[in-house]
Each structure stands twice: as structure tokens, then as C-alpha cells.
Amino acid sequence: MPVTKSAGGPQGTVDLKLDLRSPPKSAKKMQNKDSSFWDGHPSESPGLEKTKGITAFQTLVHLVKGNMGTGILGLPLAVKNAGILMGPLSLLAMGFIACHCMHILVRCAQRFCHRLNKPFMDYGDTVMHGLEASPSAWLRTHAHWGRNIVSFFLIVTQLGFCCVYIVFLADNLKQVVEAVNGTTSNCHYNETVFLTPTMDSRLYMLSFLPFLVLLVLIRNLRVLTVFSLLANISMLVSLVIITQYIVQEIPDPSRLPLIASWKTYPLFFGTAIFSFESIGVVLPLENKMKDARHFPAILSLGMSIITALYIGIGSLGYLRFGNDIKASITLNLPNCWLYQSVKLLYVVGILCTYALQFYVPAEIIIPFATSQVSKRWALLLDLSIRLAMVCLTCTLAILIPRLDLVLSLVGSVSSSALALIIPPLLEITTYYSEGMSPLTIAKDALISILGFVGFVVGTYQALDELILSGQALTFSNSTVFIQ
């Protein structure tokens, strides 16, 4: 989740320069990724701000923690959309490419730090200086666009995370409430559960709105770190319980397709890249390390652990539930109080995480907006923008109450740009004038093209699915076990 000294967010920078004004330092304290245990998809954790330097092990913990969010819960369905063989192989390839792009970003940032004698450079500034080093006069003239583009995708990503959280909250709470009369204390033997009809999921989303408004009105980052700690604990405990359940009674995998239909693969891409959206965390972590020379090795080790965990959860979850797998694996858990408590723990964790993810776009937009009015109206404008933004995320969630499609759409639109498209192009603009091998240029071009194709096709497929689902989006949020 995101709290960093730099301008970045899960990917990017919190420094929004519109050639009018540079935001205050507070806007540079946050950075985030979908996905940390508080979930974000990224950034430096609040605890990092309190230390002068962190050890290699602490860096590894923060890197892994920064990837554990709602995205991992949607990976079993993503594997279903790719196939039991193609899914894990694709996750492995995407993990390798995502790690490589992170290394590219780190190398480019280090180069500009040395060249410009700066102690630290965030994602947006690195892209801007990369364009300034470009052989193209037009790109050099418009280099500031690079930072603005990163900030734009960061805002889209973070608000997208917030939309995902609202849908997740509604889906899980709705299932718990509907199954409350059939919930037992026996997790090994569940009779048929007759659901108690309740209100529509979209009404559950609206019911969360007052609590979300109160959370986003908290402007003190130190207060928010308390919520992040609560979110971390809740999600960690829940993930352990989920893992021990899905490894039990794995059925025969031969009934599952090795390779799914190509029409559903773009949905896999969007969800998977959403989960790997943590490129914004790497620069703040490297800056906080006591000995940054070890960071490349820590980054490779951390991404290897994350990729293995993603492949394990995604594959085992799909093997365990097969074609019945839901948008979030929590929705497949039995109706006993142990696993219902897991859903409630995740609800608490995600609710706390919402405020942290919201902090990033708020610190980009609000400082610029308040600078345009007198101090007399600054506080009122600040609170009004916060209220408008949280209502916007709730409205978007209501319009797209399909967790799987929201995950895929956010991943395809913004995650692919920040994690796959921009870093290879940054390497070309940074090193081209010094001479690059044709093989390196071809490699970077290929990665960016693949990212762009995923961006276009994934976005199209997610939108197409939304259109086909029609106005009355109905989806089962409950799992019935008959034994």
C-alpha cells in the first residue's frame, strides 16, 4: 500500500506538475500498488518513513507485502480464463517480464540520480528525464508530459483499486448475510444452504458509502498508518486460512482444460497484470535500503516469491473449485463460521485499505486544486473534492458490479501501461544516444508492444463482457455445499 516519500503510487509519482505549480511535499509522501496487504498495489509502507535505512530482509518483506491484495484472490478465476496449463505458464512469464521491467526502472533512475546528483528519483521524474535524454527534439521539448502521464495512470489505478474494493466489500458481506441462517460451526460437513434473500449488491455498496466518506476525511497520514496495520493483520490471517482450505481434497485435474478459449484470455491478462502492479514500490524501497547495492538481488528474490505464490494460489484455487470458481476465492469458502470470519476479516482489511489507496490520488489532485483558491476556501474545497471522489468510486462500482470485470479492466487500462509499456520505452530513450544493441531495442519494443496489445484487447474484452451482461447484472455470491 502505499506510503512513500516519493511521488509515486503503485506506479508513479504523486508529483503532478501542470506547468502551473508543483504540489507540496505532502503530495510526495505517498506511493502505492493494488496491492499490498493493506493492498495496494504499491508503495512504501508507513513504517518505512520512520527508519533511516532498512535491511535487506525488511526490504524483501515490504516488497512481498506490497503485492498481497485483492488481486491474488481473483487469480484462480484468471487461471480458469487461461487454462490449467496456460494460466500458470502465463503467470510465470508475466512475473519474469514484470521483474525485468522493474530492474529497467531502477537502472534508469540510478543513472539519472548519478548524472543529476540527486539522492532519489521517483517514477514520474525518471520518465521525464528519460524523455529529456531522448534523441528526439520533440520529446525533449515535451518531456514534462512523461511525468503527467505517469500521474494520470496513477490516479486511474488508485481510483480503480478503490472501485474494486467497494465491489469486493459488497460481494463478501452480501454472501455472509444471506447465508447467516445456514452457517454452522462444522466446516467439514455442510448441508444444503438455503439463502435468505437480501437487498441487491449495489445497495450494499451504497451502505458502505457513509463509512468510506468518514475514512477519506482523515487527512493525517500517521492516523492512516494505524488502519494499515489493522488491514495487514486481517489479510495475512485470512490468506493463511484460505490456503490451508484449498489444499484439502484437490479433485482430479484431468477434467479441466489445459488451454481455455482465446476469447477469455484477455480477461486473464487484465487480472494477472493487476496483481503484478507493484512497479511503483521499487524506487522508494531502494531509496530506503541501507545498502542499495543488494537491491537488485532482493528485487529478483522478492518477485520470484511473489510469482510462485501467485501460481500456487491461482492453480490450487482453480483445481479445488474448477468451473465453480468465483471472482474472489473467498466467495467459494464453506458456510461455517471459521470461513465466514475470513470474509469478514477481509472486509475489515479492505475497508481500512480504501483510505490508504484513496490518499494517493487525493494528494495529487487536491494540492493543485486548493492552490487555485484563497486560503479561506481551501478547506471547504479539500473536503468537497474528497467527497466527490469517494462518490465517484462508489458510482463506478455500482455501474460495474462485477468484481472479475473491474479487476480485469483496471489491470488492462492502467497496470499494463505502468508495468509493461512505459519501462521498456524508458530504457530506449535513456540509453539510445549512447548506443544500444539491436537485440536490446527489439526486446524492449516487443515488451511494449505486448503490453499495448494487452491494454487494447484486455480493455475491449472487459467492456464487451460488461455490455453483454446487460443492465441487470446478476451474479451469484453464495456457495452451496451439498454432502
Side-chain angles (χ1 to χ4, degrees), residues 175-186 190 193 334-341:
Q175 189 187 62
V176 171
V177 172
E178 288 184 343
V180 66
N181 291 332
T183 301
T184 70
S185 58
N186 188 344
N190 285 316
V193 176
N335 291 295
C336 69
W337 284 114
L338 173 63
Y339 297 112
Q340 295 294 66
S341 66

Side-chain angles (χ1 to χ4, degrees), residues 166 169 205 208-217 351 354 390:
I166 294 175
L169 290 170
M205 297 178 196
F208 277 109
L209 185 58
F211 301 99
L212 297 175
V213 169
L214 292 176
L215 284 173
V216 302
L217 292 181
L351 192 61
Y354 183 97
V390 72

Side-chain angles (χ1 to χ4, degrees), residues 1-6 29 31 38 42-66 120 221-222 225 228 232 280-290 295:
M1 236 358 268
V3 190
T4 144
K5 214 176 176 180
S6 85
K29 284 186 179 178
Q31 165 154 276
W38 337 333
S43 190
E44 180 181 327
S45 76
L48 294 183
E49 292 185 353
K50 302 177 182 179
T51 58
K52 295 293 184 180
I54 57 177
T55 65
F57 178 74
Q58 290 172 324
T59 303
L60 179 64
V61 170
H62 283 298
L63 180 62
V64 173
K65 181 179 66 175
F120 174 72
L221 196 57
R222 291 186 180 277
T225 59
S228 77
N232 287 340
V281 73
V282 297
L283 294 182
L285 284 178
E286 185 219 13
N287 183 51
K288 286 291 182 179
M289 278 194 71
K290 291 180 180 178
F295 184 75

Side-chain angles (χ1 to χ4, degrees), residues 124-247:
D125 284 339
T126 302
V127 172
M128 183 184 70
H129 290 301
L131 293 179
E132 289 176 347
S134 168
S136 169
W138 188 87
L139 288 178
R140 292 196 299 271
T141 304
H142 299 84
H144 62 281
W145 285 12
R147 177 164 47 197
N148 294 342
I149 288 173
V150 170
S151 295
F152 169 77
F153 279 115
L154 175 59
I155 292 173
V156 172
T157 299
Q158 295 304 114
L159 293 182
F161 285 161
C162 292
C163 293
V164 169
Y165 295 161
I166 294 175
V167 179
F168 180 91
L169 290 170
D171 281 7
N172 283 270
L173 184 61
K174 182 177 189 291
Q175 189 187 62
V176 171
V177 172
E178 288 184 343
V180 66
N181 291 332
T183 301
T184 70
S185 58
N186 188 344
C187 295
H188 301 288
Y189 186 84
N190 285 316
E191 298 292 345
T192 302
V193 176
F194 295 97
L195 302 180
T196 303
T198 62
M199 56 187 180
D200 186 271
S201 291
R202 286 163 281 198
L203 294 178
Y204 277 92
M205 297 178 196
L206 281 177
S207 68
F208 277 109
L209 185 58
F211 301 99
L212 297 175
V213 169
L214 292 176
L215 284 173
V216 302
L217 292 181
I218 299 174
R219 297 184 295 162
N220 189 321
L221 196 57
R222 291 186 180 277
V223 176
L224 290 180
T225 59
V226 177
F227 291 95
S228 77
L229 177 61
L230 180 61
N232 287 340
I233 296 173
S234 299
M235 293 184 183
L236 178 60
V237 172
S238 299
L239 193 59
V240 170
I241 297 175
I242 291 172
T243 303
Q244 66 84 27
Y245 175 73
I246 63 176
V247 297

